[in-house]
Amino acid sequence: DLLFGDVVAGIEAQGLQYRNNGTFVGSLSAPAFTTQWTGMDLDASSRLLVTMFNEGAVVAFAPDGTPLPGVFGGPYGESPESIVVDSLGNYYVGHADGDQDVRKYSSTGVLLAQYDVPVENRGSDHLALGPDDCTLYYTSEGFRVLRYDVCLDIPLPDFAAGLPGTVAYALALRPDGSLLVADNEAVHLLDTSGGILQTYDVAGNDLWFNVALDVDGTSMWAGNSGEGAASRFYKFDIASGNVLLGPIDAQPGTLFGLAVLDSPDLAADLEVTKAAGSSEVPVGDEVTYTITVINHGRRAGSRPTGRGWGCASTTRRRCLAISATRPGARSPTLSAWDRSCCRWAVSWRISASA
């Protein structure tokens, strides 16, 4: 299954799937396609859409990881490199070669529009879409981050120019308007004026091609495309630039795609209620709590934990039962009783099913 927070690395004709802690899960592949898995994004139905660069196609995977038959939508141009889905479920595909245009498709894959965007060295290579669903950010294997208004069908001023690397590749737009760009020799965080705020690099990696925001909002993943043992990726803290995880080897082959699955539909959605059997409990007596957990999501929960506190009055010699709503509990018991302050804590753990 595709789960919330999973990381997928595109290596040749397959996607290597990892949990967010870096644990390898398995491989995704579409048997009819044999070369160059590149751009990825989730659509409104939590299907994973993937561009197949050499075969000029987009393929789709169901939320359980099963490939859908054939090519999804189209027609596509030459060398579709990247894909991004808007808030309505429409998706845009950037093309490195051929006419180098950006194409827009409906959620069912019907071609809606084609944009003859200005390019630099190699087409509409990598895309990112602003929250207004109009401002398209893209690179063209050069030194700039370009922009285009897909609502008005007009070019916009560059977001950034004169980037220090030799080739600018993948982009990731943050909610505050800052932008991450894989710039070959390093990854850079750009402010809203295009200036460099932070740089991310690891010695021995000089082919930074991929970048993707993590679901926690404070970290990101970046990949060194490389060949063989040089194909690896890392998780960085955005603020400090520190490496949080990695290197994670992605072999054999070249790492040309990297995505973090961020659809809430791929996560458990727990509703937890806690009710006490009595509102007042004399000291020494027991109280029964009923914990109800309902999972409204489409995936099983992974052992969420919770913790609650209760206090009692020493002068009135009774404990006041409390109620709390926190992730996950079942039949908690009082523990760590402290008569001096009449304070106790309860801890619990539960596995929730979808």
Side-chain angles (χ1 to χ4, degrees), residues 9 29 51 66 73 102 113 172 200 202 206 232 239 266 290 293 314 334 336 340:
S29 63
T51 56
T66 303
V102 174
Y200 313 86
V202 177
D206 290 310
R232 60 177 75 98
L266 299 178
T290 300
V293 181
T314 55
L334 302 186
S340 64

Side-chain angles (χ1 to χ4, degrees), residues 175-227:
D176 64 1
S178 60
L179 184 141
L180 290 156
V181 56
D183 198 25
N184 205 57
E185 287 77 17
V187 178
H188 304 295
L189 174 64
L190 309 180
D191 62 24
T192 55
S193 299
I196 295 177
L197 288 173
Q198 179 66 278
T199 295
Y200 313 86
D201 194 14
V202 177
N205 295 272
D206 290 310
L207 293 170
W208 294 103
F209 190 88
N210 311 279
V211 65
L213 293 174
D214 191 72
V215 293
D216 64 12
T218 63
S219 61
M220 63 87 174
W221 300 78
N224 185 76
S225 60
E227 291 285 351

Side-chain angles (χ1 to χ4, degrees), residues 100-116:
Q100 303 183 329
D101 289 351
V102 174
R103 289 169 169 80
K104 178 182 180 180
Y105 301 85
S106 72
S107 60
T108 58
V110 176
L111 180 62
L112 300 177
Q114 187 166 335
Y115 306 95
D116 184 17

Side-chain angles (χ1 to χ4, degrees), residues 51-281:
T51 56
M52 304 301 292
F53 185 85
N54 290 344
E55 292 166 305
V58 170
V59 297
F61 292 81
D64 65 358
T66 303
L68 302 184
V71 176
F72 183 83
Y76 301 103
E78 185 179 346
S79 307
E81 177 104 10
S82 56
I83 186 167
V84 61
V85 180
D86 71 15
S87 64
L88 300 178
N90 305 308
Y91 64 96
Y92 296 80
V93 176
H95 296 80
D97 300 316
D99 59 27
Q100 303 183 329
D101 289 351
V102 174
R103 289 169 169 80
K104 178 182 180 180
Y105 301 85
S106 72
S107 60
T108 58
V110 176
L111 180 62
L112 300 177
Q114 187 166 335
Y115 306 95
D116 184 17
V117 299
V119 298
E120 197 170 359
N121 292 340
R122 196 178 182 191
S124 50
D125 203 43
H126 291 270
L127 308 179
L129 188 63
D132 59 2
D133 278 349
C134 290
T135 307
L136 189 72
Y137 301 76
Y138 63 103
T139 56
S140 186
E141 296 197 13
F143 305 94
R144 299 151 58 195
V145 176
L146 301 93
R147 297 188 304 163
Y148 195 89
D149 190 321
V150 294
C151 296
L152 300 178
D153 197 5
I154 58 172
L156 296 172
D158 289 349
F159 179 83
L163 294 174
T166 53
V167 186
Y169 291 116
L171 305 169
L173 185 65
R174 302 185 70 207
D176 64 1
S178 60
L179 184 141
L180 290 156
V181 56
D183 198 25
N184 205 57
E185 287 77 17
V187 178
H188 304 295
L189 174 64
L190 309 180
D191 62 24
T192 55
S193 299
I196 295 177
L197 288 173
Q198 179 66 278
T199 295
Y200 313 86
D201 194 14
V202 177
N205 295 272
D206 290 310
L207 293 170
W208 294 103
F209 190 88
N210 311 279
V211 65
L213 293 174
D214 191 72
V215 293
D216 64 12
T218 63
S219 61
M220 63 87 174
W221 300 78
N224 185 76
S225 60
E227 291 285 351
S231 291
R232 60 177 75 98
F233 60 98
Y234 301 80
K235 185 179 185 180
F236 292 87
D237 178 74
I238 294 175
S240 67
N242 293 334
V243 174
L244 302 176
L245 193 63
I248 300 173
D249 292 329
Q251 303 173 33
T254 305
L255 178 60
F256 277 149
L258 191 65
V260 177
L261 307 186
D262 59 357
S263 170
D265 286 342
L266 299 178
D269 180 13
L270 301 185
E271 174 191 348
V272 183
T273 58
K274 175 182 176 183
S278 176
S279 61
E280 295 187 0
V281 185

Side-chain angles (χ1 to χ4, degrees), residues 272-273 289-293 303-304 306 327-333 347-352:
V272 183
T273 58
Y289 290 84
T290 300
I291 308 296
T292 302
V293 181
R303 299 185 65 78
R330 181 172 59 196
S331 303
T333 56
S347 298
W348 54 87
R349 185 182 292 271
I350 189 173
S351 290

